[in-house]
């Protein structure tokens, strides 16, 4: 299962951590893993390209840790809202069997 934990501080995005593999299908054929990866990578690249937000990024096999190091811009917030929306829709479409999205206020 993939677990994505999104953390907010004072109702503003602080970080997200994506870990695991969906297990929906064999490696290379897992559409859940591919969809989550596409959303995560596009969000990170979009924040780097379209905002001035300062971030910290760590990636390892099947794991991404992303953190805003300064207050988040409006564009950064919108991009994060889109990430959470997309992930939540995938989670709902597979009844939470392959993806769990957790949002925490820290």
């Amino acid at each position: 299962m993939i677990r994505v934990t999104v953390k907010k501080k004072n109702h503003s995005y602080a970080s997200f951590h994506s870990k695991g593999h969906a297990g929906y299908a064999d490696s290379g054929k897992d559409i859940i893993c591919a969809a989550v990866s596409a959303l995560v990578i596009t969000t990170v690249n979009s924040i780097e390209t379209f905002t001035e937000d300062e971030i910290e990024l760590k990636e390892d096999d099947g794991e991404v840790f992303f953190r805003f190091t300064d207050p988040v811009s409006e564009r950064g917030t919108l991009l994060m809202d889109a990430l959470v929306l997309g992930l939540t829709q995938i989670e709902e479409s597979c009844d939470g069997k392959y993806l769990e999205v957790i949002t925490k206020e820290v």
Side-chain angles (χ1 to χ4, degrees):
M1 174 178 283
I2 301 170
R3 284 190 178 81
V4 180
T5 304
V6 178
K7 293 184 179 178
K8 291 183 165 187
K9 186 174 184 178
N10 299 321
H11 305 288
S12 182
Y13 290 104
S15 67
F16 73 84
H17 181 223
S18 175
K19 184 175 182 179
H21 296 282
Y24 177 79
D26 292 336
S27 181
K29 297 181 182 182
D30 194 323
I31 60 173
I32 305 294
C33 247
V36 171
S37 294
L39 283 170
V40 167
I41 291 167
T42 298
T43 300
V44 171
N45 290 342
S46 294
I47 289 170
E48 290 178 323
T49 302
F50 301 124
T51 77
E52 299 295 322
D53 294 337
E54 296 293 325
I55 65 165
E56 176 185 340
L57 178 66
K58 295 179 184 174
E59 300 175 82
D60 197 13
D61 182 44
E63 186 170 4
V64 174
F65 175 77
F66 174 96
R67 181 175 73 89
F68 289 99
T69 58
D70 286 324
V72 184
S73 67
E74 282 186 43
R75 284 184 175 186
T77 298
L78 179 62
L79 291 166
M80 287 297 297
D81 285 343
L83 172 65
V84 171
L85 175 65
L87 292 172
T88 302
Q89 289 176 334
I90 294 169
E91 177 185 35
E92 291 170 1
S93 73
C94 64
D95 296 324
K97 293 178 186 174
Y98 306 102
L99 172 63
E100 179 181 27
V101 181
I102 304 160
T103 303
K104 293 182 177 182
E105 183 72 27
V106 293

